[in-house]
Amino acid sequence: MSLNCSDLCPLWPCEDKKEYKGVWVVGEVSEKGLHEASLQMLTPALKVSKKLRSEVVGVLIGYNVKKYADEFIKHGASKVIVVDDKALSTYYPMLYGDVIVELAKRFKPELILIAATMRGREMAPYIANTLKTGITADCTDFDVDEKTGDVLQIRPPFGAMLLAHIKTPSRRPQVSTARPNVFPVPPRDDSRSGEIIEVKVNVRKPRMKLISVKKIKKEEVPIEKAEVIVSGGKGIGSKEGFKVLEELANLLGGVVAGSRKAVDAGWIPRERQVGQTGKSVKPILYIAVGISGAAQHMFGVREAGVIVAINKDENAPIFRQADYGIVSDYREVLPKLIEYINSLKKEPRLLKELIE
Amino acid sequence: MVRVVVGIKWVPNTQAVRFDPKTGTLMREGVPSIINPPDLSAVEFALKIKERYGGEAIAITMAPPSAVKGLEHVLGMGVDRAVLISDRAFAGADTLATSYVLAEAIKKISRDVGKVDLAVFGQETIDSSTAHIPAQTASWLRWPYVYYVTDLEIKDDKVVVSRVLEDRVEKYELELPSVISVFMESIEARDVRLLHKLRAKIEKPIVVWSNKELKLDPRCIGLKGSPTMVSKITWTLEVPRKKIVYKPKDPEDAARWLISMLLKDEKTSKIFKWVVGG
């Protein structure tokens, strides 16, 4: 495609997209170190870079962050660009965003991947927009259009079980985010080595100031790490209804989660929301109670080992997306289930009978 | 005195979308549009600021003419005036082109009505959930911004906000003007009041701006001003599931059946044996 700058919005820089090379993963660093979600972005980065015959570059900005560069390399990056500056000791979306923008202008990557953590979702659209390029949020897969070299950013749009393949045909860099736990962290290889490029960037004065930070109590097991999840939806009907789910979850060594409807109703906190707009989970066992099975919800449990559905509506779509379905009212079934598991605990001999 | 602009989106009510079990698709025909629910929290925020510090709250939306209904609703809640940005030239916009028009509308309000101090948005929309617009609008305006705000105070020419992240609450001070995005439905929106509704009926405080008013370069708006495009739509691969559905005689039968299935299933048998101490 030849460049025709007069066709472009004059606010956009007119540049040949062929000048842009490399796939970037922007790292998020907190006092706990490099965020696992950032390392997960190396998986799609490696896939895309292979097809584009380019390299994966980690990007680290902040203060005292150089020590994390090796993490990026051991998990698959070839290079890491580091901006280590005292002026970046506090994260501000615009300040950090402007540094990434500066780096992108200088090094011209073809794709920038950012984990859609809360900070990532705050900063990524700013970066893309300031570069006057497109951004695709919450991608679940990536591919490359071999002819044009455009990255296909694949995401489930609003609607049915559909995937939209989104391209940014004329602009570079392409920018995408993906939710944590959609991709695995690529295996660590301690024999890998790579180049660390330290860069100085002119850091602007932030027009905001962090006044205080208060840690909020971390829950014992976050739903994305749980092996057993008992999840409730609209059919639970009330906050009190979740008590019996909690009881079952405790008995199975699991945790309670919920659908968007349950979260919107205030029955369960937002950090326990499963689905496209919540979290992706991968328990061995997912018990969906009073959940109809909307595509957005089911996306979040696609990696669950076994899905059990308990719903009194036999036409609920969840029954066609579950392994074991029970058409019943949870109010009757769950107490019996709890009672039954308790009796099995006391009488392991009953277990044998069940298996035979 | 604080002049607050609040951005709202007129979206299809995803809750009303029904599933067609025969085709496995969602049926969208006849689905009514509503104000994006998180935006109602943003409106409530704007009204609280106005009540506390004086000034005015102005709602803006880029939408087809039918969105007037949504604007009437927020006027009924107490918003002072509303701008409907509507023109076929804006159609097909992605989030970059949309935020460009919104930012230009905010600039026009600053020029025509008076300096805007704060632009408030909902966290994300229920139809696409990108959460792009607040940051993109801030990028066009070059205003400082912050997401996930749960509380806000104006102090002289600064705004002090509390915001939540996954594991912490942070307090920031931002220079005005700035852009904030309100944490989901962290604050309950008030109902429409008859008094406000009547006032809106009499004063007719909704103006419609097409590109005649905004005078934006056609290359920067709508489809042309959108760097992203949907190249194709495909079906997701359905995860293979056993799909065994059981109608139990009674709750006890249900419990027995489920446990025996989970014990026989090689994926789950392990955890179950462990749980029951076998």
Side-chain angles (χ1 to χ4, degrees):
Chain A
M1 206 168 75
S2 65
L3 274 183
N4 195 346
C5 294
S6 61
D7 283 347
L8 269 191
C9 172
L11 300 167
W12 302 359
C14 185
E15 282 173 311
D16 187 350
K17 69 179 188 183
K18 290 197 187 71
E19 289 173 27
Y20 287 77
K21 281 271 174 285
V23 176
W24 280 14
V25 173
V26 176
E28 178 175 330
V29 175
S30 68
E31 64 285 344
K32 278 174 258 162
L34 183 55
H35 204 297
E36 193 182 333
S38 303
L39 291 175
Q40 289 167 353
M41 297 308 280
L42 288 168
T43 293
L46 288 163
K47 177 183 177 182
V48 169
S49 70
K50 203 171 161 194
K51 296 201 173 191
L52 290 170
R53 282 171 221 93
S54 63
E55 56 187 2
V56 172
V57 181
V59 179
L60 276 171
I61 66 169
Y63 184 47
N64 283 333
V65 292
K66 195 186 160 189
K67 56 189 173 208
Y68 304 118
D70 203 46
E71 279 293 290
F72 261 138
I73 289 165
K74 296 287 186 269
H75 287 281
S78 308
K79 284 181 189 165
V80 181
I81 295 171
V82 179
V83 183
D84 209 316
D85 192 325
K86 198 157 190 236
L88 295 170
S89 46
T90 308
Y91 160 83
Y92 298 113
M94 208 169 183
L95 188 79
Y96 272 42
D98 280 333
V99 171
I100 304 286
V101 165
E102 228 14 76
L103 294 173
K105 283 181 180 166
R106 213 184 288 180
F107 292 93
K108 298 186 189 290
E110 51 198 319
L111 175 65
I112 302 178
L113 297 176
I114 300 172
T117 57
M118 290 179 86
R119 273 187 184 181
R121 285 168 74 74
E122 177 179 51
M123 186 175 71
Y126 175 83
I127 294 168
N129 212 84
T130 307
L131 290 164
K132 306 292 179 280
T133 188
I135 171 167
T136 306
D138 301 341
C139 295
T140 55
D141 199 5
F142 293 88
D143 209 337
V144 172
D145 182 328
E146 306 277 351
K147 269 184 241 150
T148 58
D150 293 331
V151 175
L152 297 168
Q153 303 156 93
I154 303 166
R155 81 184 299 255
F158 160 70
M161 292 160 197
L162 300 173
L163 289 173
H165 296 233
I166 294 169
K167 284 205 286 198
T168 314
S170 62
R171 309 296 301 160
R172 290 295 181 270
Q174 302 154 99
V175 182
S176 325
T177 68
R179 295 261 181 172
N181 293 327
V182 168
F183 299 102
V185 176
R188 189 188 173 92
D189 178 354
D190 282 322
S191 69
R192 286 184 55 86
S193 60
E195 190 188 349
I196 295 172
I197 307 162
E198 281 193 81
V199 181
K200 276 258 161 273
V201 170
N202 196 12
V203 182
R204 290 191 183 88
K205 193 175 157 286
R207 282 181 287 157
M208 58 192 283
K209 194 167 84 191
L210 181 64
I211 298 172
S212 67
V213 181
K214 204 175 84 200
K215 283 286 167 78
I216 38 185
K217 209 177 82 208
K218 254 290 199 215
E219 37 187 55
E220 318 80 45
V221 184
I223 57 168
E224 54 271 49
K225 298 237 162 78
E227 291 198 333
V228 176
I229 296 177
V230 182
S231 191
K234 196 183 174 193
I236 302 301
S238 68
K239 198 166 185 163
E240 288 65 46
F242 270 86
K243 280 190 186 145
V244 64
L245 275 69
E246 187 94 51
E247 203 182 326
L248 178 62
N250 287 340
L251 199 53
L252 299 174
V255 300
V256 172
S259 69
R260 176 160 192 162
K261 282 176 188 168
V263 170
D264 285 349
W267 302 336
I268 190 134
R270 193 159 296 279
E271 71 267 16
R272 295 197 164 262
Q273 185 193 326
V274 171
Q276 194 198 332
T277 58
K279 288 174 174 172
S280 285
V281 294
K282 36 188 168 186
I284 295 169
L285 174 63
Y286 187 81
I287 304 177
V289 188
I291 290 176
S292 63
Q296 287 88 340
H297 183 78
M298 298 316 288
F299 174 78
V301 295
R302 70 199 178 285
E303 287 188 75
V306 166
I307 297 179
V308 170
I310 299 170
N311 202 307
K312 61 180 177 185
D313 174 11
E314 64 176 296
N315 294 318
I318 189 137
F319 286 125
R320 278 173 291 101
Q321 304 169 75
D323 294 287
Y324 307 109
I326 295 177
V327 184
S328 279
D329 190 333
Y330 82 94
R331 292 173 188 85
E332 291 173 354
V333 172
L334 291 197
K336 275 287 165 209
L337 201 55
I338 291 164
E339 197 181 297
Y340 194 59
I341 295 170
N342 276 326
S343 73
L344 285 175
K345 269 189 168 174
K346 284 188 207 120
E347 290 267 7
R349 152 186 82 77
L350 294 171
L351 246 176
K352 271 195 179 153
E353 284 169 26
L354 262 177
I355 302 169
E356 280 146 20
Chain B
M1 293 281 280
V2 180
R3 185 168 289 103
V4 186
V5 168
V6 56
I8 62 174
K9 188 176 180 190
W10 191 235
V11 296
N13 183 2
T14 49
Q15 307 281 312
V17 174
R18 301 279 297 278
F19 191 82
D20 182 345
K22 285 194 191 94
T23 58
T25 57
L26 297 181
M27 301 181 286
R28 282 198 270 175
E29 289 88 62
V31 173
S33 285
I34 54 168
I35 296 171
N36 178 50
D39 298 348
L40 286 172
S41 282
V43 172
E44 181 63 36
F45 242 89
L47 292 173
K48 285 234 159 70
I49 296 165
K50 179 193 128 170
E51 284 160 0
R52 190 154 166 202
Y53 303 101
E56 68 173 338
I58 305 170
I60 62 171
T61 188
M62 184 174 110
S66 66
V68 161
K69 266 198 192 157
L71 292 177
E72 281 167 357
H73 182 91
V74 299
L75 288 167
M77 284 170 72
V79 164
D80 298 283
R81 47 176 130 191
V83 182
L84 172 66
I85 307 159
S86 198
D87 195 319
R88 281 188 178 277
F90 300 139
D94 70 2
T95 56
L96 180 132
T98 302
S99 61
Y100 176 58
V101 173
L102 293 176
E104 288 297 321
I106 291 169
K107 286 185 193 167
K108 186 173 163 64
I109 292 169
S110 273
R111 288 194 303 268
D112 298 0
V113 181
K115 191 175 156 286
V116 174
D117 301 293
L118 204 58
V120 181
F121 291 95
Q123 182 177 320
E124 60 186 50
T125 59
I126 56 168
D127 62 340
S128 58
S129 316
T130 68
H132 286 171
I133 295 290
Q136 288 174 317
T137 306
S139 160
W140 287 111
L141 294 168
R142 304 296 312 158
W143 291 1
Y145 75 99
V146 69
Y147 276 25
Y148 321 118
V149 171
T150 56
D151 201 8
L152 175 153
E153 240 180 300
I154 307 269
K155 278 185 180 165
D156 305 320
D157 56 347
K158 298 212 167 70
V159 55
V160 177
V161 303
S162 296
R163 69 95 156 248
V164 289
L165 287 182
E166 288 92 346
D167 61 347
R168 67 191 71 191
V169 175
E170 296 176 332
K171 216 168 193 180
Y172 285 102
E173 182 184 85
L174 282 77
E175 286 175 16
L176 291 174
S178 55
V179 176
I180 63 158
S181 141
V182 175
F183 182 64
M184 289 314 274
E185 286 135 80
S186 58
I187 164 169
E188 201 173 326
R190 67 191 65 188
D191 288 330
V192 166
R193 283 177 59 191
L194 192 61
L195 176 78
H196 294 309
K197 250 182 125 165
L198 284 174
R199 184 184 54 82
K201 272 237 151 59
I202 297 160
E203 292 178 8
K204 295 190 173 41
I206 300 179
V207 293
V208 182
W209 287 349
S210 68
N211 204 31
K212 271 198 198 105
E213 285 76 23
L214 286 173
K215 300 185 180 71
L216 305 177
D217 190 313
R219 291 169 295 181
C220 305
I221 56 173
L223 218 48
K224 271 202 162 170
S226 300
T228 61
M229 57 171 280
V230 177
S231 68
K232 64 172 175 178
I233 301 270
T234 56
W235 289 88
T236 53
L237 291 173
E238 221 185 294
V239 183
R241 295 283 174 197
K242 291 201 174 77
K243 301 179 196 178
I244 304 169
V245 180
Y246 187 65
K247 285 188 197 167
K249 290 194 291 281
D250 53 53
E252 196 159 341
D253 178 35
R256 277 186 78 90
W257 178 81
L258 182 61
I259 298 294
S260 74
M261 291 317 256
L262 293 176
L263 281 167
K264 283 175 199 156
D265 192 311
E266 56 174 28
K267 286 188 197 156
T268 44
S269 61
K270 219 191 291 173
I271 56 162
F272 257 80
K273 280 177 196 163
W274 178 78
V275 166
V276 296

